[in-house]
Amino acid sequence: VSAEAEALSHSDTTMKLTPSYELFQLLSEEEGGEVPNMTSGNALRDASTLKGKEKDPLEGLKLSSFVGCGGSTKIETLPDPFKMVEKELQPFSDSIKELVSS
């Protein structure tokens, strides 16, 4: 393991993760902070504003369509969630491989 990777794996303090909604509430208005509007969890899930111009291949999907929930579609037909975020996770994967290899 490189000295840099080794140094990153140790810390004198415990990392405290702050949810982004708390972070944005703490910022001053000059820094772009604002109290977010209250909304239910997936209120915008099906909104086209979140999807842009991309066609959503899972639009209209209902849990009741799947085997075990009254439907005939197998759960295996859904896309692999790890493949969907593979590019975003690659830097983490590389770091872990470097740490494990030594």
Side-chain angles (χ1 to χ4, degrees), residues 31-58:
E31 294 176 305
E34 60 183 47
V35 177
N37 295 328
M38 295 295 291
T39 182
S40 58
N42 288 327
L44 295 175
R45 188 189 74 169
D46 292 325
S48 58
T49 53
L50 295 178
K51 298 174 186 172
K53 296 181 181 183
E54 293 182 33
K55 173 128 175 64
D56 183 1
L58 301 177

Side-chain angles (χ1 to χ4, degrees), residues 3-40:
E4 183 182 359
E6 182 66 23
L8 289 173
S9 68
H10 300 288
S11 175
D12 294 335
T13 61
T14 302
M15 182 188 294
K16 180 177 182 251
L17 299 178
T18 304
S20 62
Y21 61 86
E22 286 182 18
L23 178 64
F24 289 113
Q25 284 183 338
L26 296 175
L27 291 175
S28 67
E29 287 184 20
E30 296 83 35
E31 294 176 305
E34 60 183 47
V35 177
N37 295 328
M38 295 295 291
T39 182
S40 58

Side-chain angles (χ1 to χ4, degrees), residues 57-98:
L58 301 177
E59 185 153 358
L61 184 72
K62 296 192 183 307
L63 188 59
S64 60
S65 303
F66 293 96
V67 173
C69 297
S72 59
T73 306
K74 292 184 177 182
I75 195 89
E76 293 81 10
T77 60
L78 289 172
D80 180 354
F82 294 107
K83 288 284 185 200
M84 295 171 75
V85 294
E86 186 173 29
K87 288 180 184 174
E88 290 86 353
L89 295 177
Q90 192 60 51
F92 299 106
S93 174
D94 293 344
S95 296
I96 292 169
K97 286 176 186 171
E98 182 181 351

